[in-house]
Amino acid sequence: MQEQYPFDVDAIRADFPILDRKVGGDVTTPGEGPNDTQDLVYLDNAATSQTPDQVVDTIADYYRSYNSNVHRGIHQVSQEASVAYEEAHDCVAEFIGAEGREEIVFTKNTTEAENLVAYAWGLNELGPEDSVVLTEMEHHSSLVTWQQIGKRTGADVRYIEVQEDGTLDMDHAAEVIDETTEMVSVVHVSNALGTINPVRELADMAHEEDAYVFVDGAQSVPTRPVDVDDLGADFLAFSGHKMCGPTGIGALYGREEILDAMEPYLYGGEMIRRVTYEDSTWEDLPWKFEAGTPSIAQGVAFAEAIDYLDDIGMENVRAHEDLLAEYAYEQLSDLGGIEIYGPSGDERGGLVAFNVEGVHAHDLSSILNDYGIAIRAGDHCTQPLHDKLGAAASARASFYIYNTVEEVDALVDAVAEAKELFA
Ligand code: PLP
C-alpha cells in the first residue's frame, strides 16, 4: 500500500509514538484504561493534530537548555531564547509567503487572532454605515466575534449563502459585498463541509470595494501550500496545534501597513517602547501586539513543526489529504443511507462530515470509540450552518499525514457495523 502515498507514511508514523498506543473506550487516567486493547485510529485531526517527537524534543530542549524570558535580559540565556523566539516568526513568515517577521504576530490560536483584528481594527474603524461580510460556513471563532463587533459598532454583518452542494453562492457574494463593506472574513477550507473556498475571487471583489480580507486558515495552512499574496489576504490566521505544533500558539499574518496603523489589542509589558505616567508609545511590529511574556517554548516548537511539514513538502501533504478524503468519501457513499455534507470527494479538504440515517452522531462516535476510532461528533463550532443543514450534529473524520487507507477502511467498517446495529 505504501507506494500509493506521496511520501513514506510508515516513516512519518514512527515519529508519532501516540499512534502506537491502544485504547478501549474507557475514560480513565490517560493511558491506563483497563480495556486498552484496540489500536488507536486517530481521525480527529481537524480538531487537533498529533505532535511528532521532533516537536516534543524541541519543547523539552528549550526547558532543559535555554528557558528564559525574551526581550528582557542582557544575559546569554535570555538572548538565546529571544533569538529562537524571533527566528520562529521568520520561519512562519516564510512558510506563508509573508514579507518578514513584522507581519507575523504570535497569538494563542486562530480564535485569538480573529479577536485581535476584530477588537484592534473593527472596534475602531467600523460604524453603523459599514458592513462586514462573512460566509454562512464560518467557524464560531469568526462568526461570533464579528457578530459581537457588529452589535457594538452598529456595523451590518452579512453572510454569503452556502448552496445545496456546500459551495458558496458567488452571485450572492457579489450582491452583499458592496461599497459599505469594510471587511470580508472567509474560511479558506471549511472545517464542517470540507469546502475549499475561492478566496482569491472573494478577495478581488473585496478589494474592488476597498475592503480588507481576513482569511481563516485554520484548516488550510496545515494541509496545503498557502501563500498570502496568491490568496490576496490582508490577514490570515492559523493554529499551531492543527499542524504538528503544540497548543497555545498560533499566528496572525497582517499586511505590515495595516498592522502598523492598528492600535494594540492588549497593553502591558513587552509591547511598549517608552512609558511615562501620562502616556506610552509602542514597540515595533510584531511585538506591539504581543503584550506580556509570550508562549516561548510553543513558539519555538511551532517553527519546528513547520520545518517538519516543509520537509515532507506541502504539495505532498495536500496530495495525501486528497487521497484519503476522496477514498473516505467514496467508501462511505457506497455504504448507502449516509448523508455526506459538502462538495464531492475530489473537491474537498481532508475531512468528511456525515450522518448515518437513524443514528445520532454522538452515538456513532461512541460506537467508533469502542473500536479505537477517534472522530468528532457535534456541530464543529458551526451551529448556524448545522441549523441550515437541518442537522443538530454530524460525525466528522479528518485526516493528516500519518493516516492510512487501512485506517479509512477501519472507519468505514465500523460505520457499517453501527448502521447494522441501529437498523
Ligand atoms: N477556524 C476553523 C475553520 C477551525 O476549524 C477552527 C478550529 O477547529 C478554528 C477556526 C479555531 O481554532 P482554535 O480553536 O485553534 O482557535
Side-chain angles (χ1 to χ4, degrees):
M1 278 297 204
Q2 181 59 47
E3 55 283 358
Q4 67 192 311
Y5 301 125
F7 49 85
D8 186 345
V9 174
D10 285 343
I12 294 293
R13 288 181 72 84
D15 292 332
F16 295 81
I18 194 171
L19 300 176
D20 290 333
R21 74 161 283 188
K22 307 274 185 201
V23 288
D26 302 293
V27 180
T28 55
T29 307
E32 290 179 14
N35 300 314
D36 283 359
T37 54
Q38 305 274 354
D39 289 331
L40 171 65
V41 175
Y42 188 80
L43 301 179
D44 193 18
N45 296 287
T48 287
S49 67
Q50 294 303 338
T51 321
D53 275 341
Q54 290 84 338
V55 172
V56 176
D57 291 348
T58 298
I59 297 170
D61 183 48
Y62 167 79
Y63 283 112
R64 291 202 172 109
S65 313
Y66 58 102
N67 175 29
S68 189
N69 213 319
V70 290
H71 301 152
R72 290 183 188 173
I74 304 294
H75 63 81
Q76 181 181 340
V77 186
S78 170
Q79 289 194 15
E80 286 174 6
S82 299
V83 168
Y85 182 70
E86 288 170 11
E87 285 181 351
H89 288 67
D90 300 337
C91 173
V92 173
E94 203 181 323
F95 189 62
I96 55 160
E99 295 285 324
R101 68 173 66 159
E102 300 73 22
E103 297 190 318
I104 303 295
V105 179
F106 277 2
T107 59
K108 198 165 56 169
N109 46 34
T110 303
T111 305
E112 191 178 68
E114 307 247 20
N115 275 269
L116 192 161
V117 174
Y119 277 83
W121 177 85
L123 272 191
N124 288 315
E125 300 295 332
L126 294 173
E129 66 289 350
D130 299 321
S131 68
V132 173
V133 175
L134 313 180
T135 77
E136 286 181 335
M137 63 174 97
E138 291 312 298
H139 188 277
H140 293 165
S141 60
S142 150
L143 195 153
V144 177
T145 305
W146 288 112
Q147 197 177 58
Q148 292 309 308
I149 296 297
K151 287 185 196 302
R152 285 170 69 166
T153 60
D156 187 21
V157 178
R158 303 169 177 175
Y159 300 93
I160 303 168
E161 280 172 15
V162 175
Q163 308 178 107
E164 279 280 295
D165 66 356
T167 61
L168 289 177
D169 180 340
M170 294 303 281
D171 291 336
H172 190 236
E175 270 172 47
V176 291
I177 300 172
D178 63 17
E179 67 286 353
T180 67
T181 306
E182 296 293 331
M183 173 66 80
V184 175
S185 183
V186 57
V187 62
H188 189 185
V189 174
S190 162
N191 64 309
L193 299 173
T195 314
I196 303 163
N197 284 317
V199 171
R200 180 76 225 195
E201 212 180 316
L202 289 166
D204 289 344
M205 286 180 182
H207 290 151
E208 190 77 13
E209 302 292 353
D210 289 330
Y212 289 145
V213 176
F214 188 110
V215 181
D216 172 348
Q219 297 299 338
S220 61
V221 174
T223 56
R224 59 202 52 244
V226 169
D227 181 282
V228 285
D229 285 338
D230 292 348
L231 286 182
D234 298 300
F235 298 101
L236 172 74
F238 47 104
S239 299
H241 69 95
K242 294 183 196 285
M243 47 193 290
C244 294
T247 50
I249 192 80
L252 170 71
Y253 156 82
R255 268 202 298 122
E256 187 175 353
E257 65 188 86
I258 309 176
L259 290 180
D260 220 17
M262 272 162 55
E263 280 300 302
Y265 168 49
L266 297 171
Y267 298 98
E270 303 268 358
M271 53 75 68
I272 49 81
R273 174 163 300 159
R274 177 83 182 101
V275 179
T276 65
Y277 286 118
E278 288 73 37
D279 207 358
S280 306
T281 57
W282 315 135
E283 252 299 5
D284 290 338
L285 290 174
W287 323 120
K288 171 175 115 174
F289 291 107
E290 294 191 14
T293 300
S295 300
I296 306 164
Q298 291 90 330
V300 176
F302 189 13
E304 181 64 29
I306 285 175
D307 284 345
Y308 187 85
L309 290 173
D310 253 343
D311 283 349
I312 298 172
M314 291 311 291
E315 279 296 354
N316 289 330
V317 175
R318 175 186 13 209
H320 189 69
E321 295 271 304
D322 286 353
L323 183 135
L324 295 182
E326 211 173 320
Y327 183 63
Y329 188 95
E330 264 170 36
Q331 297 296 306
L332 287 169
S333 304
D334 286 352
L335 284 183
I338 294 192
E339 181 163 17
I340 304 181
Y341 302 104
S344 67
D346 54 353
E347 290 169 7
R348 58 170 51 241
L351 60 94
V352 182
F354 59 96
N355 266 312
V356 179
E357 226 168 73
V359 186
H360 193 282
H362 287 150
D363 293 332
L364 179 69
S365 175
S366 169
I367 292 168
L368 297 195
N369 187 40
D370 291 341
Y371 289 92
I373 302 171
I375 61 155
R376 185 137 295 243
D379 56 45
H380 321 304
C381 294
T382 55
Q383 273 181 24
L385 178 69
H386 273 72
D387 289 346
K388 182 173 168 128
L389 295 172
S394 61
R396 181 185 70 188
S398 51
F399 313 106
Y400 211 30
I401 45 178
Y402 32 72
N403 288 127
T404 62
V405 165
E406 288 80 5
E407 288 181 314
V408 175
D409 287 335
L411 166 77
V412 175
D413 289 349
V415 171
E417 295 266 351
K419 257 187 83 186
E420 284 296 306
L421 204 69
F422 282 85

